[in-house]
Amino acid sequence: MAPMDKKRKNGPTNESFARSRKQADNEDRPSKRLRPDEKDGKTTAAKPTLVPKISRIREEEAAFPRGGASVLTPLEHKQIQIEATRDVLFEQEGGKSSRPDEDDGEAAARKKHKPKSKGKGKKGVEAAEPEEDIVKIEGLSYKRIVPGSLVLGQVSQINDHDIALSLPNNLTGYVPITSISDKITQKIESIAAAEETENEEDEQDDSEEVELAKLFSIGQYLRAYVVSTSDDPKSSSNGKPRRRIELSLRPQQANNALAPQNIVANTMLMASVASVEDHGLVMDLGLESADLKGFLSSKEVGQAIELSDVQEGAVFLCMVTGLNSNGKIVKLSADTQKIGNLKKTNYLTEAPTVDAFLPGSAVEILVTDITTRGIIGKVMGMVDVTADLMHSGAGASGKDLEKKYKIGSKIKGRVVCTFPAADPPKLGVSLLEHVLSLAPQQAIKNGEKKNPLDVLPLSTIVEEITVRKVEADVGLFVDVGVKGVPGFVHISRVKDGKIETLSETTGLYKVGSTHRGRLIGYNSLDGVYLVSLEPSVLEQPFLRIEDLSIGEVVKGKVEKIVINASGIGGILVNLAEGISGLVPVTHMSDVQLQHPEKKFKEGMTVTARVLSTDPGKRQIRLTLKKSLVNSEATLFSSYGEIKVGMQSPGTIVNIIPAGAVVQFYGTIRGFLPVSEMSEAYIQDPNQHFRVGQVVNVHVLKVDPEAEKLTVSCKDPSVYGLAQQNAMKKLKVGEIVSAVVTEKSDDDISVEMQGLGLRAILPVGHLTDRSSSKNQSAMKKIRVGQTLTDLVVLEKLEPKRLVILTNKPSLLKDAKGHVLLRSFDDVKQNKVVHGFVKNVTLTAVFVQFGGGLTGLLPKNKLPEDAIRLPNFGMTKYQSVEAKVISMDHGQQRFVLSVVDLGSEEQNQLPPATLSVGIAQTAINPVDPTVTSVDDLTLGRLTKAKISSVKDTQINVQLADNIQGRIDVSQIFDTWEAIKDRKRPLRSFSPKQVIDVRVLGIHDARNHRFLPISHRGGKTLVFELSAKPSDQTEAPQEPLTLDKVKVGSSWIAYVNNIGDDCLWVNLSPNVRGRIRNMDVSDDVSLLKEMGTNFPVGSAIRVHVTNVDVANNRLDLSARSTQLSEPLTFKNLSKGMVVTGRVTKSNERLIMVQLSDNVSGPINLTDLADNYSEADPTKFSKNDIIRVCVTDIDAPNKKIRISTRPSRVLNSSLPVEDPEISSISQLKVNDVIRGFVKNVSDKGLFVNLGGNVTAYVRVSDLSDSYVKDWKSEFEVDQLVKGKIVFVDSHTNNVRMSLKASVIDKHYVVPISFSDIKVGQVITGKIRKVEEFGVFILIDGSDKVSGLCHRSEMAEKRVEDVKKLYEEGDSVKAIVLKVDPEKRRINFGLKASYFESGADAEEESEDDDLSGMQGVKIGGESDEDDEDSEEDENGGIDINDIADIESGAEQTEQSDEEMVDAEDNSGVVVLNVGGFDWTGNVLDQIDEHSRAESDDEDADEKPKKKKRRKAEIKIDRTGDLDANGPQSVSDFERLLLGQPDSSELWIQYMAFQMQLSELEKAREVAERAIKSINIREETEKMNVWIALLNLENAYGSDKTVEEVFKRARQYNDAQEIHERLTSIYIQSGKHEKADELFQVLVKKFSQSPTVWYNYAHFLHTTLAAPDRARALLPRATQSLPPHTHLNLTLKFAGLEFHSSSGSPERGRTMFEGLLSTFPKRLDIWNQLLDLEIQQGDEEIIRGVFERVVKTKNLKPKGAKAWFRRWSEWEEKNGDKKTQEKVKAKAEEWVRAAAQKKSQPGDDE
C-alpha cells in the first residue's frame, strides 16, 4: 500500500478514494459516463506538495468514481465504527480530538509527525475514519488562505487599477487590472505600447475603454484564485503590517484547470467575454482545449445588464446549463435570479471529480454534526464540508443551530472556499440566505429593503449596541438596530488593550448588555457590520478618507517632509491612524518659505484645512495657509451651491496673460480675468500676483452645468446695491451729465452725476467730425470738469460699465426719441444716425444705441468711396444711412448711403458732408472768380502761396478760399526737380502761380473728393501746378488701377517707417518702398531720415500692384537689381543688400528678400576675428553681404560681411575664410571660435561647415584641473592643425603653446632644478612654518622656504613678512627627488657673493632683512616709505639715490633711518604698526646695534641734521599740505578726530594704488575717532563704503555695510549706500537696496519718497513708483499720508517720466477732502506755474476764490499772489479782472458777515 500512501499525500483525495480509483483502473472498469473526447490512459502520480499547483493531475486523475461507492470490506467497516465510537466518547469527555496532531487542520503540520511506513490495515482504518472525528470546523483566515485557494467573493470596491472583493470571514482580497482576463491584459499592453511609440490612435482610444467601473458592479459575485498573500506595509495599523491577499479572476486559474470531461450541469464556471455577438456572448473558459467554448445567451446575461454595454474581457460567474449537440459549446447562464433559485435543481447532483466542487457551486449537504461553532456535513456522501460560525448563521442569528437543523437532514449550501492544505480534502460552505441566492444582503428600514451602508454608513457611532451572542475567544455578535443585518465585534475590538476572555453570563460584555460603538467596516459576503467598542476608535475624529469633509479644519502631526528632485515637495501630515494628507509646497504658508524644514519639524502639531480628497487614490490635499485655515467665508465646494456675489478666498494655481486660475475646494476652479484683478490697469499679471498666492474674490458669473466660474478681486462695495439699482434703471438713450475723473489717449473716464456709476466716453464720440477735431475737443477737457448732454449709448452690466457719446447727431436723435436702441426701433426706409463700429473688405458695420449693429454693404457706398482704403471710413466716424431691408427672424438689417434720396444726404463721410453755402470770393487772386461756385472741376485759375511745407504748398484762391497743392502735383519730369531732398524749396510765400482745380481736399484721409462733395465749415481745394495740367484738356486723376507693374514714376516721401518708406505718386495713390529697395548705394540706407527726408523725391518703378487690398510696392533700385531674389537667381560671389532681422552675441540673421534669408556666423563677420562682433548690428540695419555658398535643395545659404568679400578682394585678411576641409594643411596655425565644450574636449568652428576637434590633452602644456571653466562657446582660440583626413572630414588641432610657438621655451621641470641654483618665483601659499614658492617659467614646480631660512634674524610672524603673490628671489638649498621636494633659502647672505648683491646694497644688516624681496607688490615700511622702482632692494625713501641724483641731507637722513630700522621685521615688511609699540622696539634695536655699525660717520650726520630736516618738512607741510605718509601721521597726532583728514589720507593711499593700506587707514580712523563724534565716524564709514564700491568686490562691500549698520544709524547707512550705488551707476543694486529699505524702515515716509524719486528720475519706471503709494499708506501712520501723497503728486510734475495729468488727479482727490487747505492749493499752484499753462494757472486761482468759507487773511494773501502773477504774465485786462474779483469777494464777505445768525 506504499504507492497508495504517496497518492494520498499529493492532493485533495482521501485514501479510500485513491484505493477505489486504483482498483477501478486495474480492473479497467469505465465510469458510468464517458465523454466523447475522453481518452483512455493510465494515471500518473504527481510529486507531493502542500500547495497544489495548476497541473494536469486534476484532469487525468478522477478523485472518485461517479456515485461515490465504497470498496471497503464489511470487516473494515466494523473496525472503523468501533474506533469512531471510542473517539466520540473521548471527545465528549475531554473536549479534544482523539488525534493529538490535529491542531488546526493544516496538512503540513500533521505530515511532519506521521511515520512514513505503516501497515496496510492501519492505513485503511485511518483513511476510512468517520469525518466527524477528523473534520474540524474552521473558518477561512489569513493563516488558512494560501496561494492556490479558490474563494467566492463579492465586489466591494472598484478602484482605478484594481477591485476589492469581500471574502468570507471579514477578509478582503484585491484583483489587479492585469489579473482579470487575457483580453484586458492585451488592451493594457497595447495602450502602453501606443504611449511609448506615440501612435496608433485606435489603441489610444482603448485606454478609455479599460474602466473597471464599466466591467464590474458593486455586489457582483465572482470566484477568485489566490495568487499570493504578503505583508502590505502601506496599510499598517499600530505599526504591524497587514497581509494583502492578491487574487486573480482569469478563468485559467479561477476554474482550477478543470478538464473538459469534468464539466457537468450546474457547475459554476468563471468565464471571460471573448466576443460580443448579436444573440449573446462567446465566452472563454480558460481550458487547454481551445475547441471548447462557452456561450452566454442574451436572455441569460441577467436583467440588470444590457448586452450592448458588455465589453470584451469582462468576467462573469456562470452556471453550466448544458452542452450543445456536438459537445463543443458549453451553455452558460449568469442570471443570478435564475441560478440563485435553489428550489429548482440548480445544484450539483453529480460530480465526476472533486474538482467539480468549485466555490460558487450550490450543493446538497447531508448534515453529519452540529456544534455551537457551525455545521459539518458531507456532499454526495464522501466530500467533507463545514459551515463556520459566520456562514452557518449561528453567530449572526444568535439562534441554536440544533433547533434549526437536524443531523441526517439534507440542506442546500453554496461552496465559498477550498482548503488545499487540508487532508483529507475539505470545503467551506455558506448557508446564508443572500449567498445561496447570489444576491446582496439587504437591510430593512421602514418596511423597505435598502443597502446596509445606506442605512448605517461607515464610521457612524451607534449609541446603543446590544450583545446577542458571545463567543469566548472570537468576539461578540451584536444588534446595531438594523433589521436583517447583524453586527460583529472581534475580540481585539472589544476594548483598548488585551482582553483575556469573554463570558455570556458574567462581565461587562455578557448577553443583553448595551454599549456605545462605531461601525468600522461591512463585509457584504458575510452580511455583517464590523463594529468596534474601543474608546480610542470612538474618540478618533475619522476612520477613513471618506469621513473627511472638504473644507473641514483638522489637527494633525507632521509625519514627514517630502523631498523630491527640485527640493522640498511638500509635507505629510498624519491626521489619524492610517490617514495622512499632503500639504503641497504652495500651501505651506501664506508667504514663500526659504527653509520650510526649519519651520516644520517631524512630530509638530499643526492646524490644517482639507482642500480635496480622492478616496480612490487614497489622497488628501491639505493647506496650512492661515488665510484659508482661519477663513470664515462660505466654502466653494460645489458649483451648484455657488451664487453670484458670494465671497471666498482662493489660491492662484496658474497665471496666464489673460488672467489667473483660482483653485477653491475640491475640484472647484474659477477664472480671474486680468480686468478684474484690480481697479487699476494691469498689463502683466505676473508682476502683481504669484502662483500659490491667496486672493479674496467674489463671484461674477457661475455656470453649474458647464462647471465654469468667473471671479473678481475688485472691491464689491464700490459697486454696491445703490449702483446696481441705478444701473438697472438707466436707459439707453438717456441724457446725463458726468464729472471727468481721468483722461487717457483713447477715452475719458467719467462718473455720472447722481448715480455714482463709472462710465467711458471714447474720444471718437466727442464730435461728429474728424479725428483731429476729436483730439482738439479732448485737449479742452480737464479732470474735474462737468460734461453735460451726454447720451447713454450702451450698458455693459457684467463689466459695470456705461459707454457714453457726445456726438451731436446721436444727441439730437436721443432728444427726439428716435435713437435706435433695439431691433424694435428699426423701421424700413427710415433714415438713421450711427457710427462706424468696424470695417471689413466687403462691408461696414454701423453701430447704434444698445450695441445694435447694422450692415452697410460695399455696393451701398458711393463709387468714389469704394476705391478708398477702408472705404474712407474710420472707427467711431458718424454715419447717416437709410434702412433698406430687415430680417426679423435673424434680427438683422441692411443700410445704404446711396439711397438717401438727395445729393446732400449722399455725401460721405457725414462729418464733413454738410452742404456748402455759395460763398462770395473776397479779394480773389484771379479776378474772374467771384464765388466758390466758379471753382468748378478742371477750372484753370491763379493762386497765391501762403506757406510752403515739406509735402505740400498751402495757397489762397481768395481771402476766404483756401487750397493746397500736393508735392506730387507740381513737377512733370525728374529733371525739373532741382533739389531732390527739398523739391519745394524753390517756392516762396506770396508767389502767384497758375493752378488747375482737381477737387475738394478731405483732411481726414488726406485724399481729395469731387467738387460735388462740398461740406464742412471751410473748403480746401485740391489743386495742381503741373505745367502739363495748365493746358485746356483736363487730365483724369491718377488711381491705383491705372498703375501698371514695371511703369516708372516720381515718388515723394510721405512718411518713414521702421522697414520701409511711404511715398505718394499722387494725392490719392500711396505706395511703399522697402528699405533694401530705396537705393543701390547701401551707405545711404543707414541714415534714412537724413538721406531721404519727408518730401524728398525718388525715381521709382512699380514691382507689385494689389488693387483689392489697396497695396502698391515700389523700388528705387536699378531694374536688374530690383528683381526679387530667389534661390534660382542667386549665385556664389553675388554681393547684395540685406536687412538685419535678428542680432545676438552668436550671429545675425539677414533677410535678402521675402523668400530668402540666412545667418552670418562669427567666422563670416570680419577678416580679423578679433573684430567679429554681431552686437554692433541692430535690427533693421541695411548691410551689404556676399553670397558664399548656396544649398538650393535645403533652401540654405551662407553669406558673409567680410570686407575682402564685399568691398575689395585685395584687402588684408588676418583670418582666411575656410569653406572646405581641403584648404587646411597640417601645421597651419589658424584661429576659430569655440563651437562646443564637451567632456572629451573642444570643438572649434573654423568657418563654413569645417569644425576642428581639440583633445583635452592638446588644450594646454600645463595641467589644468578645471579646464572647462577656461573655455566658453564663441570664445576665440588659436591653434595649429595637427591632423587632417579629408575622407572622413576629421580635423584635429592643438592649442598648446609648445606646438604653436616656434620660440617656445620648455617650462622648467623638477629634473632641471639643481642645488645652489638661484631662481625667481612667486609666493604660492603662506603658512606659519614658512612659504611655498612657485618657480617662474616652470611647469607648476614649487618648493618650501622654511621660516628659519628667510632672514638672518628669527622671524616671529611669517604672514606679516610675506603675502600670497609676492615676487621673490631664492636659492635652492636641497632637492629630494624621491619625495619630489625642494627647499629654498631667502636669506640675503646666500646672495652676497653675487654681483647683484653688491649693486643692490652696501649694508649687511639691511641686505639681510630686505635683500630678497623683488619687484611686484610694494610694502609699507617706515613713516616715509616709498616704492622701490627697480625691484631690487626695498630701502626707505631713497628715490634720489636710485635716480642717480646727488645725495642731499634729507636722503642721508633717510638712509640712516633705514639702517636704524633694518632690524625691525614687522615695520619693514608687515606695514606700519599703528599702536606705536614698534616705535619703542626701534629705539631698543637702535641702541643694541649701534656699536656694530661699520661706519661711524653716518650716526653723526644723523644727529647733526635731524632737527634741521624736521623744520624743513614742517615748512613744506604748512605751504603744500600733507605730501607723504609721515605728513599725514604728524597731522593726525594733533587732529585724531578729523574725518576730513582721515579721508584725505585714504585718498592719498589710493593715489599710490594702495587699496589695502587705504582700508587700514579707514579701520584706524574708526578705532581712533572719539566715540562721541558720531558724525565724524559716520563720514569715515561712508568713505570706506565708497572705497569698497569703487575698488572692492560685492563681498567686501557687503562686509563693510554689515559692520557699518551695527555701529551707526541703520537707516542712514542704508540710504547712504543707495546714494553711492546711484552715483556710481549701479542702479540694479540701488533698486534692490531700496526694496530692503521700504521693508525694514516702512514707518519712515522719507524712505518711500526717496524710492519713488529714484524710480521716476533714475530708472524712468513711473508705474513702479506709483505702485509704492498704496503700499506706503498701508504701512505709515495716517498723519503722514497727506504730505507723502503731495510729494508723490509733485513727482508726477517734476519727473520727465511722470504724468502732470495724473498729478492733477491726485491733487484733486486731496482737495476734494481738504478744500480749504490753502497750503495744498499753493503747492498745486507752484507746480502748475512750473508747467507754464496760463489757462490752467488762472483756473487754479479762480477755483480757490470760489471756495466757500475762505478766511479773509487767506483770501488777501491769495489775491496778492494772483495779482503779482498777472503783473508778470498777464496784461492790463487780466490785472483789472483780478482787482474786480477781489473787490467782489470783499463785498460778498462783508454782506455774508452782516447777515444774522452767521457764525462768522
Side-chain angles (χ1 to χ4, degrees), residues 765 793-794 803 810 819-820 833-838 844-854 875-876 879 893 895:
H765 277 282
L793 190 63
E794 196 175 352
I803 308 294
L810 299 180
L819 176 70
L820 297 188
H833 295 94
F835 60 93
V836 176
K837 180 185 181 183
N838 189 22
V844 178
F845 289 92
V846 181
Q847 188 173 337
F848 302 92
L852 183 69
T853 306
K875 193 175 181 182
Y876 297 132
V879 174
F893 59 100
L895 305 167

Side-chain angles (χ1 to χ4, degrees), residues 434-567:
H434 66 278
V435 177
L436 290 173
S437 59
L438 292 178
Q441 172 73 302
Q442 299 286 317
I444 299 171
K445 184 179 182 183
N446 300 330
E448 294 181 13
K449 290 186 177 181
K450 293 188 175 181
N451 183 356
L453 288 179
D454 292 341
V455 179
L456 265 187
L458 295 183
S459 300
T460 304
I461 294 176
V462 182
E463 296 298 331
E464 192 171 306
I465 291 176
T466 309
V467 178
R468 292 289 179 225
K469 183 169 183 175
V470 178
E471 286 296 331
D473 55 348
V474 177
L476 311 173
F477 286 91
V478 295
D479 181 3
V480 295
V482 177
K483 191 175 180 183
V485 184
F488 174 66
V489 184
H490 192 264
I491 190 167
S492 64
R493 292 287 188 181
V494 172
K495 72 168 190 175
D496 290 325
K498 191 176 180 182
I499 189 165
E500 293 299 331
T501 184
L502 295 169
S503 170
E504 284 194 2
T505 54
T506 60
L508 283 174
Y509 305 101
K510 62 184 180 181
V511 173
S513 60
T514 58
H515 306 275
R516 189 167 180 261
R518 190 170 191 175
L519 260 63
I520 58 171
Y522 171 71
N523 189 297
S524 54
L525 193 75
D526 295 340
V528 294
Y529 289 116
L530 304 171
V531 183
S532 172
L533 307 182
E534 298 162 284
S536 60
V537 173
L538 290 168
E539 291 166 6
Q540 211 166 306
F542 24 77
L543 302 177
R544 56 199 188 114
I545 293 176
E546 289 87 341
D547 299 340
L548 282 165
S549 57
I550 292 173
E552 184 179 354
V553 177
V554 294
K555 286 194 179 293
K557 287 188 177 179
V558 175
E559 186 178 307
K560 182 183 176 186
I561 294 176
V562 181
I563 307 294
N564 58 21
S566 58

Side-chain angles (χ1 to χ4, degrees), residues 709-946:
L709 177 67
T710 307
V711 296
S712 171
C713 274
K714 290 182 179 177
D715 186 1
S717 61
V718 174
Y719 189 71
L721 283 174
Q723 285 84 355
Q724 291 175 29
N725 292 332
M727 179 69 91
K728 288 177 183 175
K729 291 177 183 176
L730 193 66
K731 300 282 190 294
V732 173
E734 194 174 325
I735 297 169
V736 296
S737 57
V739 178
V740 178
T741 57
E742 193 177 346
K743 286 171 63 177
S744 70
D745 294 338
D746 302 320
D747 49 45
I748 300 167
S749 298
V750 297
E751 188 172 315
M752 296 163 65
Q753 288 188 326
L755 302 175
L757 292 175
R758 211 161 48 85
I760 293 292
L761 176 60
V763 173
H765 277 282
L766 289 175
T767 71
D768 271 333
R769 303 172 70 190
S770 66
S771 56
S772 59
K773 293 294 181 186
N774 287 326
Q775 290 294 339
S776 177
M778 170 84 160
K779 289 177 183 175
K780 296 176 183 176
I781 295 172
R782 302 290 174 209
V783 173
Q785 181 179 342
T786 300
L787 304 178
T788 57
D789 286 341
L790 301 176
V791 181
V792 177
L793 190 63
E794 196 175 352
K795 289 197 307 179
L796 304 174
E797 291 196 43
K799 294 184 178 180
R800 311 170 187 171
L801 196 59
V802 179
I803 308 294
L804 304 175
T805 180
N806 195 32
K807 284 182 177 290
S809 58
L810 299 180
L811 176 62
K812 183 180 176 182
D813 283 1
K815 287 182 176 178
H817 303 291
V818 293
L819 176 70
L820 297 188
R821 294 172 296 176
S822 66
F823 189 76
D824 296 336
D825 297 335
V826 182
K827 299 287 184 283
Q828 191 115 0
N829 297 323
K830 183 178 180 180
V831 177
V832 292
H833 295 94
F835 60 93
V836 176
K837 180 185 181 183
N838 189 22
V839 182
T840 66
L841 293 174
T842 58
V844 178
F845 289 92
V846 181
Q847 188 173 337
F848 302 92
L852 183 69
T853 306
L855 183 72
L856 176 56
K858 180 178 179 179
N859 59 359
K860 294 300 179 184
L861 290 165
E863 287 184 13
D864 51 353
I866 292 173
R867 291 194 292 270
L868 300 176
N870 292 335
F871 314 121
M873 299 268 190
T874 57
K875 193 175 181 182
Y876 297 132
Q877 181 179 317
S878 300
V879 174
E880 183 182 31
K882 185 177 182 180
V883 180
I884 58 171
S885 69
M886 297 173 63
D887 182 350
H888 290 277
Q890 301 266 344
Q891 294 212 333
R892 294 176 181 171
F893 59 100
V894 180
L895 305 167
S896 170
V897 296
V898 295
D899 298 329
L900 287 175
S902 64
E903 188 177 298
E904 58 267 23
Q905 286 179 324
N906 195 22
Q907 295 160 15
L908 185 84
T912 59
L913 302 192
S914 57
V915 181
I917 302 165
Q919 298 175 332
T920 304
I922 302 169
N923 296 329
V925 179
D926 184 353
T928 61
V929 176
T930 58
S931 72
V932 173
D933 289 343
D934 293 338
L935 297 170
T936 57
L937 183 65
R939 167 78 184 254
L940 292 170
T941 184
K942 293 184 182 295
K944 185 196 291 182
I945 297 175
S946 58

Side-chain angles (χ1 to χ4, degrees), residues 1125-1286:
L1125 289 173
T1126 63
F1127 281 97
K1128 291 182 180 178
N1129 59 19
L1130 275 176
S1131 60
K1132 285 187 183 180
M1134 183 185 285
V1135 177
V1136 293
T1137 55
R1139 181 171 65 90
V1140 178
T1141 58
K1142 180 184 177 184
S1143 170
N1144 59 30
E1145 294 178 352
R1146 303 201 65 183
L1147 53 79
I1148 60 172
M1149 286 296 295
V1150 177
Q1151 184 179 9
L1152 306 184
S1153 69
D1154 288 340
N1155 301 319
V1156 181
S1157 64
I1160 303 179
N1161 294 306
L1162 291 167
T1163 53
D1164 294 318
L1165 276 174
D1167 288 319
N1168 185 345
Y1169 287 165
S1170 302
E1171 298 169 2
D1173 181 11
T1175 58
K1176 68 183 180 183
F1177 296 94
S1178 303
K1179 191 176 179 182
N1180 292 324
D1181 280 358
I1182 304 298
I1183 58 173
R1184 284 169 69 86
V1185 297
C1186 178
V1187 180
T1188 58
D1189 193 16
I1190 302 170
D1191 182 0
N1194 294 315
K1195 292 193 174 181
K1196 289 182 179 179
I1197 58 169
R1198 180 183 168 198
I1199 49 183
S1200 171
T1201 56
R1202 286 173 173 258
S1204 60
R1205 278 280 197 177
V1206 176
L1207 300 176
N1208 187 348
S1209 60
S1210 62
L1211 289 172
V1213 177
E1214 177 78 16
D1215 295 290
E1217 186 175 356
I1218 307 291
S1219 55
S1220 71
I1221 211 166
S1222 59
Q1223 294 173 254
L1224 298 175
K1225 295 177 182 175
V1226 175
N1227 293 328
D1228 284 353
V1229 176
I1230 57 173
R1231 296 199 291 176
F1233 294 95
V1234 176
K1235 185 178 181 181
N1236 185 24
V1237 181
S1238 73
D1239 293 335
K1240 297 179 180 178
L1242 295 183
F1243 292 90
V1244 180
N1245 181 18
L1246 304 180
N1249 295 322
V1250 182
T1251 303
Y1253 169 53
V1254 185
R1255 297 182 302 188
V1256 177
S1257 59
D1258 290 332
L1259 290 174
S1260 173
D1261 287 299
S1262 56
Y1263 172 71
V1264 182
K1265 186 177 182 182
D1266 184 14
W1267 64 269
K1268 281 191 179 181
S1269 62
E1270 303 288 327
F1271 298 96
E1272 63 180 6
V1273 173
D1274 296 333
Q1275 180 180 335
L1276 182 60
V1277 293
K1278 184 178 181 181
K1280 179 183 275 190
I1281 303 296
V1282 295
F1283 174 78
V1284 177
D1285 186 344
S1286 56

Side-chain angles (χ1 to χ4, degrees), residues 1536-1550:
D1537 293 340
S1538 170
S1539 60
E1540 183 182 359
L1541 188 57
W1542 283 109
I1543 292 168
Q1544 284 179 11
Y1545 195 0
M1546 289 167 65
F1548 172 75
Q1549 293 288 10
M1550 286 312 301

